[in-house]
Amino acid sequence: MHSKVVIINAFEPEDFFIAQLSKAYDDAIIERGISAELLFVNNMSFSFTPFPDQYTYDTLEPDLQKSVNAIKGASTVAFFTSANKDKVVPIFTQFVARLFHLKGGTINNDIWGNIDAYSKTLRIITVLDDPDTWKQFRNNRKPSLVPMPKINFGLFGFGQVFSRTFGYLKEGYVLNEYARKSMKAMRIMAEKD
């Protein structure tokens, strides 16, 4: 399979730090000559339904169809989102719930078709915007402090799933030393994709 990276940005427009991390990753991917596609979940139009399993590919909204096509054609998918102590950005949760749900105990084949290869890589990059949660997470790296939806992405063709969590920027919109180190980590991560 050729290398293609799909970057799915699922954060609020004012989330400066996660936007900078996504840009650093995207820039590094492009510098390597790898095909990259950016999807911005906030710019998508889709309904928030409690019954996502009733959808087929043909009945999905056009933005979700585009997302499915991009994800199916990717070798790596990278989600960028932010969270506080209570929840991940709602648009990310809704996007994931609409596409990565189970139907009858397995993936929704009416959306994804048959998954026959498990060679994709998934990266979930999160910025914890809450100082207290970040401090707790930094001290013991407990995954339960990052309120991500619990999904078995392996069922959707992802053989490797990596998660990386960063803290908030104390100075807000200033790229301080921590921000520069974090952006460098994203560039190193991109070298592996």
Side-chain angles (χ1 to χ4, degrees):
M1 173 187 262
H2 70 284
S3 291
K4 178 183 177 188
V5 176
V6 174
I7 299 169
I8 302 174
N9 291 313
F11 49 82
E12 299 298 329
E14 66 273 8
D15 289 344
F16 174 75
F17 186 35
I18 190 70
Q20 295 304 309
L21 294 176
S22 175
K23 183 177 181 337
Y25 180 80
D26 182 37
D27 290 348
I29 290 293
I30 291 170
E31 286 172 13
R32 292 191 57 225
I34 295 174
S35 172
E37 183 172 354
L38 289 170
L39 301 176
F40 293 90
V41 179
N42 273 341
N43 295 341
M44 294 181 184
S45 177
F46 60 90
S47 64
F48 297 167
T49 176
F51 306 107
D53 59 327
Q54 295 178 356
Y55 282 82
T56 66
Y57 178 83
D58 293 332
T59 60
L60 284 177
E61 294 87 342
D63 286 330
L64 294 182
Q65 288 179 345
K66 178 183 175 185
S67 299
V68 168
N69 293 338
I71 292 166
K72 286 173 74 172
S75 54
T76 299
V77 174
F79 280 112
F80 286 82
T81 192
S82 56
N84 60 33
K85 65 181 176 182
D86 299 318
K87 64 182 180 356
V88 175
V89 176
I91 192 78
F92 172 76
T93 304
Q94 290 296 330
F95 178 83
V96 169
R98 283 294 307 278
L99 294 182
F100 298 99
H101 59 273
L102 299 181
K103 181 177 182 178
T106 186
I107 69 167
N108 187 340
N109 288 330
D110 295 333
I111 291 175
W112 293 99
N114 294 321
I115 304 292
D116 56 5
Y118 297 92
S119 58
K120 295 181 187 295
T121 299
L122 176 67
R123 296 191 179 280
I124 302 172
I125 313 304
T126 309
V127 168
L128 287 177
D129 287 335
D130 178 62
D132 293 333
T133 305
W134 170 242
K135 184 177 178 182
Q136 291 174 5
F137 181 82
R138 190 182 63 212
N139 289 338
N140 66 18
R141 302 285 179 198
K142 211 160 121 180
S144 63
L145 293 170
V146 183
M148 282 295 186
K150 305 298 182 235
I151 295 169
N152 183 350
F153 285 105
L155 296 174
F156 295 88
F158 294 100
Q160 296 181 313
V161 178
F162 300 99
S163 177
R164 181 76 189 260
T165 304
F166 295 92
Y168 70 103
L169 284 183
K170 291 179 184 176
E171 290 89 14
Y173 294 98
V174 176
L175 293 176
N176 59 18
E177 183 179 347
Y178 175 72
R180 288 189 297 275
K181 285 181 181 177
S182 300
M183 291 165 66
K184 182 177 180 183
M186 294 311 307
R187 296 183 69 78
I188 291 169
M189 188 180 299
E191 292 172 6
K192 298 175 183 176
D193 292 336

